[in-house]
């Protein structure tokens, strides 16, 4: 019985570790992602610094830093510590940005850098917003070619959802939904004609 309890305890710990690793803050950054820096005084240093194919970014005052070796949250904390050691009289904010692709019925489909404070609506806005035919009630999250979530709430934060390389897909509204007003109008006209001619 003790062995069974210990086994369940180990299993729970392993499950928690797997969940943590699967959450965006527990995942490493990847080539194409970026770090955004915001300094309280030296604003000329503010900017987004992209991670190259070798996993490094050239950061102001620190030089080249490999940023893909550990969890994104740890990288962020390490950079804050290094800047605080070098710059005594000002603060710095560090944000990590994951590169995602926005596809489907949007005005400007493509690759965008997304920070964890954004909502899905914010991400779609980066792509110019949904087109006239876009269905924001059926937004899908696609990872490695597979739909991992569908019918997403676009007001939802992506902090615990989005991984580097994910795709946000806005599908087309169905033909029936797009033409319902026309069909209703035609039906009303037909009923009117039937009544008028006594058919």
């Amino acid at each position: 019985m003790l062995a069974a309890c210990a086994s369940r305890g180990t299993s729970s710990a392993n499950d928690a570790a797997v969940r943590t690793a699967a959450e965006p803050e527990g995942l490493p950054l990847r080539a194409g992602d970026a770090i955004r820096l915001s300094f309280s005084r030296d604003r000329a240093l503010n900017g987004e610094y992209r991670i190259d194919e070798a996993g490094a970014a050239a950061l102001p005052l620190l030089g080249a830093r490999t940023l893909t070796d550990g969890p994104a949250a740890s990288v962020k904390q390490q950079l804050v510590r290094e800047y605080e050691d070098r710059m005594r009289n000002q603060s710095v904010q560090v944000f990590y940005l994951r590169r995602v692709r926005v596809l489907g019925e949007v005005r400007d489909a493509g690759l965008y850098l997304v920070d964890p404070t954004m909502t899905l609506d914010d991400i779609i806005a980066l792509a110019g917003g949904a087109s006239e035919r876009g269905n924001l009630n059926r937004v899908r999250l696609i990872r490695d070619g597979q739909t991992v979530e569908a019918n997403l709430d676009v007001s939802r934060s992506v902090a615990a959802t989005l991984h580097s390389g994910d795709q946000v897909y806005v599908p087309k509204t169905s033909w029936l939904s797009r033409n319902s007003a026309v069909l209703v109008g035609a039906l009303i006209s037909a009923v009117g004609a039937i009544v008028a001619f006594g058919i």
Side-chain angles (χ1 to χ4, degrees):
M1 187 173 189
L2 289 174
C5 290
S7 175
R8 281 199 297 272
T10 302
S11 176
S12 296
N14 289 340
D15 291 346
V18 169
R19 284 197 301 274
T20 300
E23 291 169 358
E25 289 225 334
L27 294 171
L29 297 169
R30 291 166 46 176
D33 293 341
I35 291 292
R36 178 186 293 151
L37 301 176
S38 178
F39 295 87
S40 61
R41 293 176 61 189
D42 292 336
R43 297 181 184 276
L45 301 178
N46 292 355
E48 293 178 1
Y49 300 88
R50 196 175 291 261
I51 300 171
D52 64 21
E53 65 279 1
L59 301 176
L61 306 179
L62 301 182
R65 283 287 186 278
T66 298
L67 303 174
T68 55
D69 285 347
S74 299
V75 169
K76 176 180 174 178
Q77 291 166 4
Q78 177 63 30
L79 291 177
V80 169
R81 282 195 296 269
E82 289 193 49
Y83 276 116
E84 285 177 348
D85 288 343
R86 284 177 175 261
M87 309 174 78
R88 300 291 182 183
N89 298 319
Q90 70 172 313
S91 61
V92 60
Q93 290 183 299
V94 178
F95 305 90
Y96 62 85
L97 309 174
R98 296 197 184 273
R99 185 174 66 165
V100 303
R101 192 180 298 274
V102 186
L103 299 172
E105 291 298 325
V106 292
R107 299 181 190 281
D108 193 12
L111 290 167
Y112 294 93
L113 290 172
V114 173
D115 76 60
T117 67
M118 288 183 167
T119 64
L120 283 166
D121 213 13
D122 294 332
I123 296 171
I124 293 166
L126 291 177
S131 70
E132 296 82 358
R133 297 184 299 178
N135 186 348
L136 293 176
N137 295 317
R138 294 286 185 269
V139 175
R140 298 203 302 268
L141 178 63
I142 300 170
R143 182 174 301 141
D144 299 325
Q146 302 292 321
T147 297
V148 293
E149 291 191 71
N151 304 336
L152 292 169
D153 177 1
V154 294
S155 66
R156 165 179 155 183
S157 168
V158 299
T161 303
L162 218 57
H163 297 186
S164 300
D166 281 354
Q167 297 178 358
V168 175
Y169 182 77
V170 179
K172 187 183 295 184
T173 303
S174 69
W175 182 91
L176 185 60
S177 296
R178 295 198 310 273
N179 294 281
S180 58
V182 174
L183 292 174
V184 169
L187 182 59
I188 292 171
S189 296
V191 170
I194 290 170
V195 171
F197 290 101
I199 298 174

